[in-house]
Amino acid sequence: MSDSVPAWYALSVDEVFRHIVSGPAGLCQEEATRRLRAQGSNLLPRDRPLGWWRILARQFASPLMLVLFAAVAVSVWLGDALDAAVIAAAGGLNVLVGFIQEYKANHALEQLRNLVMPQALVLREGRETRIAATDVVVGDLLVLRAGDHVAADARLVACTNLEANEAPLTGESAPIPKSVEAVSETASLADRGNMVYAGTTIAAGRGRALVVATGSHTELGGIAALVRASREAPTPLQAEMARLTRWISGGILAFVFVLFAGGMAVGNDPVVLFQTAVALAVAAIPEGLAVSVTVALAIGAGRVLKRRALVRRLVAAETLGSVSVICTDKTGTITQGNMRVVEVLSAGSGFPPELLLPGSVPTDAEFLLSLSVLCNDATIEEPSRGVGTPTERALVLAGHDAGISLSDLRVAWGRIDEISFDSSRKFMTTLHRQEGVSPSLLIAKGAPERILDFCASVWEEGGERPLGQKARTAWQQRIDEASAEGKRVLGVAYRLSETSSIPRPPAGLVLAGFVVLQDPLRPDAREQVRAAAAAGIRTVLVTGDHPKTAAAIATEAGILRGPDRLATGDMVNQWTDDELVRRAEWIDVYARVEPGHKARIIHAWQAKGASVAMTGDGVNDAPALKVADIGVALGSGTEAAKQASDMVLLDDRIGTLSTAVEEGRAIFENVRKVLAYLMASCFTETILIAGALLARLPLPLLPVQILWINLVADTFPAVGLALGRGEPDAMRCPPRPRREPVLSREMALLVFGVGAAADVLLFGVYAWYLSVVGDLDRARTLLFAAAGVSSLLYALVFKSLRRPLFSLVPPFQPWLPFGVLAGLALMAVALFVPFFQNLFHVVPLTLTDGLIVAAVAVIKLAAAEVGKRKIFRSQA
């Protein structure tokens, strides 16, 4: 066998046999065994799954975790076992949360591998033999029949009425007629009519095909390679959290270095410096952040699920809110993925009385559908489920919906002869006879131009009338109009005959009319496109379908804004990546694309700063789903698409995506509020410790007290913020920029600017109280209470960043007030329960102390609310 890989579809059958070194009888068993050893099993490549221990180890690589566990080591070295245990518990909880999130590995390759069926029928030494699909080798002859799954890429060498369903691979909804004739070497994947591919199925007919590629060398294997090569880019939240982590870690390390250098220079006690460093590290790290963000994402994902969309990757939930471009597939996404009869065009009026069943007087449309059902091999298993090719299923289902009994009709008019549909003839003919009735009924169904050629008349006013050229021209114009709209037209004709066999070709037929079929637009597709546009989201159609079909569907859906805004896969091949980036914003529709094209299109939009959502349902969509910022699979799609995706639309409604985007925007806002709130609390504690260091005062808060505020008391208000509903006008605002930080400039000003002014007041109270009372434990207790209570009330500021605290828009939401009350209860436990008093080194406070705590908390809340209204006034 030659080492080169020619374009098999461009070679004749004899040339393919010579290159492969095989023959019409297939391989002998000895040669097949030798090739199996040389080529390897017919399996897709696989990556070794990531072990749980490696996933766990990765959690400790976070800079925040390193700083936190360094604080544990210092606490142990200082002999403070309690602080060490509490800090370790906080770090361990964050590690556990991260481990659980990452442990859910992506199994897209496993699902792609499962599409290769376990058995195949091959011809070896002239005998049909069923073998394991993994044992198929190049040179085997596959024996293909309707319903078979293709085990490898193969070149057809013989076929009869063969049609293959390649929708999972190419996106083409209709079965592809196959032949053995060679095609152009430049033919696209969807136009290689003499090839069958691994992972596809045979929809009709039978044939034999010579295997030319197995395993990773198949088209399916190429897709698997694309999936393997596609590295999931971090979501905007992940990227921002990583940046924030580096910022916090770097700040802590820098501050600690300055602390030690300055402290040692002035002769401070190293032990005191260590204690201060530990307190500073604990204060600056928002220990509850990982848990709170996870809760915010989980709550948001739960709300998305209630709207019939399943979020598979938790961190992807917030990415929905930043989506600015939706690249959507056509079949099963914009359209319903099922051919349906959309129009019945009767050519005449009435029909011969010999064709009437007893007690039946059908309308012209019902008569036309009855002929379509008789000249048809599809069946109905259930009232809403047809079995057969999509076109024939659509016809029998339309007949059923019109009240035609398929079984009664076929029993009354038994089939006595047939000529099956052939892609070269483009029509099907059947001959029927009714018991006790002399004339037979000849029916032809197929391409309208062929049926018109066979017809000589129409039935009108009780008799046949000639079909003139004017009528033919008018019908051809209507057919062309329907075809231009992406619809498929079938012609139907008949003739009463005394013969018992079908003439070839049929002639002198009576034109019954035409049936128009279409894979219809989903009912909410156009509305979804319109709603997305109103929210500043661009919808781009990316499909493997023919350009005319894609243009018609895209126009109907409101996507295509002009004929020059459509590009084909061949055009994309000719463009460099830079050219594609420049043209991306102009193109509305990409037709005849292959899997690699989809990934390039997504990368082009991402290079322009867009956050891209890709919707799809087929194997061919898997690589693009993985490289998109958020991959969205349909619930009825392939498992490979689902496993490569971040979200699954359970109800297949494309409109669900818009509601999911709305929830995504709410999720991001909630994550932003949680982050700002926890950062504000940490900043307060950092200001207090830094102030004490500069003023040469004792530590105002102990590490264990800081952890109680950060990890326990503040967690409940943070969860309350995570449960909040989005702003009512969220979908009237444009999507946030891809690189917009979670902690925006306005939020940073609120947290660090307004917060600093209030925190200076808090530190002043501590310094004043310590100088007046002279009791360090009591001063620390007062500050512990004041810092905790003011932090809890501060959460109310973040209920809405664009509206006042007591605004009734949006409607009252109880979770945040409940969270604040729960936090206050926990602070009370730490301050008044004797066991916890000893644990946190606090002493009882007087009523006057309580009033001071309340006054400080209210002043800080009022200052923050005034600052918020001034900072966010432009967004209200």
Side-chain angles (χ1 to χ4, degrees), residues 253-264:
L253 292 174
F255 199 90
V256 168
F257 176 78
V258 172
L259 168 69
F260 267 87
M264 296 298 292

Side-chain angles (χ1 to χ4, degrees), residues 233-252:
T235 70
L237 179 63
Q238 287 176 313
E240 178 60 21
M241 294 301 290
R243 189 193 67 81
L244 190 63
T245 296
R246 291 192 298 269
W247 181 76
I248 293 174
S249 303
I252 292 173

Side-chain angles (χ1 to χ4, degrees), residues 627-669:
V627 301
D629 293 289
I630 182 160
V632 183
L634 299 187
S636 62
T638 61
E639 284 302 314
K642 293 176 189 176
Q643 294 298 328
S645 69
D646 303 301
M647 187 177 79
V648 180
L649 302 180
L650 299 179
D651 58 3
D652 283 4
R653 293 178 60 251
I654 194 68
T656 302
L657 184 56
S658 288
T659 59
V661 167
E662 183 178 3
E663 288 293 347
R665 293 186 178 187
I667 290 169
F668 182 80
E669 283 302 311

Side-chain angles (χ1 to χ4, degrees), residues 579-649:
E579 285 178 311
L580 183 57
V581 171
R582 288 197 301 269
R583 297 172 185 268
E585 199 160 352
W586 179 257
I587 303 300
D588 292 330
V589 177
Y590 296 87
R592 278 289 189 251
V593 298
E594 297 179 5
H597 296 144
K598 296 183 179 183
R600 284 189 64 200
I601 292 164
I602 290 171
H603 285 312
W605 275 106
Q606 290 171 335
K608 297 179 75 68
S611 289
V612 183
M614 169 69 192
T615 68
D617 63 345
V619 177
N620 62 321
D621 297 320
L625 290 173
K626 197 169 182 182
V627 301
D629 293 289
I630 182 160
V632 183
L634 299 187
S636 62
T638 61
E639 284 302 314
K642 293 176 189 176
Q643 294 298 328
S645 69
D646 303 301
M647 187 177 79
V648 180
L649 302 180

Side-chain angles (χ1 to χ4, degrees), residues 7-139:
W8 304 112
Y9 46 88
L11 302 179
S12 68
V13 171
D14 290 340
E15 288 175 321
V16 176
F17 273 127
R18 282 199 302 272
H19 274 82
I20 296 294
V21 188
S22 184
L27 300 173
C28 66
Q29 188 58 47
E30 181 181 354
E31 176 63 15
T33 302
R34 186 191 68 78
R35 293 191 183 192
L36 182 62
R37 285 197 299 266
Q39 300 168 10
S41 297
N42 180 29
L43 291 170
L44 295 181
R46 64 181 301 169
D47 289 326
R48 180 177 296 179
L50 196 64
W52 65 267
W53 57 91
R54 292 180 62 187
I55 297 175
L56 184 63
R58 282 205 309 207
Q59 310 309 311
F60 292 92
S62 165
L64 278 182
M65 290 299 101
L66 296 178
V67 172
L68 203 58
F69 286 113
V72 173
V74 172
S75 296
V76 171
W77 183 73
L78 293 174
D80 196 340
L82 178 61
D83 283 359
V86 175
I87 298 171
L93 183 59
N94 283 345
V95 167
L96 179 63
V97 170
F99 172 74
I100 291 173
Q101 283 182 248
E102 291 197 27
Y103 189 68
K104 299 175 180 179
N106 191 304
H107 298 295
L109 285 176
E110 290 293 336
Q111 296 301 329
L112 283 169
R113 196 174 300 114
N114 289 339
L115 288 177
V116 179
M117 299 304 291
Q119 288 192 322
L121 188 63
V122 300
L123 199 65
R124 286 188 176 171
E125 300 178 1
R127 294 191 301 271
E128 291 186 2
T129 306
R130 192 166 294 278
I131 63 172
T134 55
D135 293 340
V136 170
V137 298
V138 172

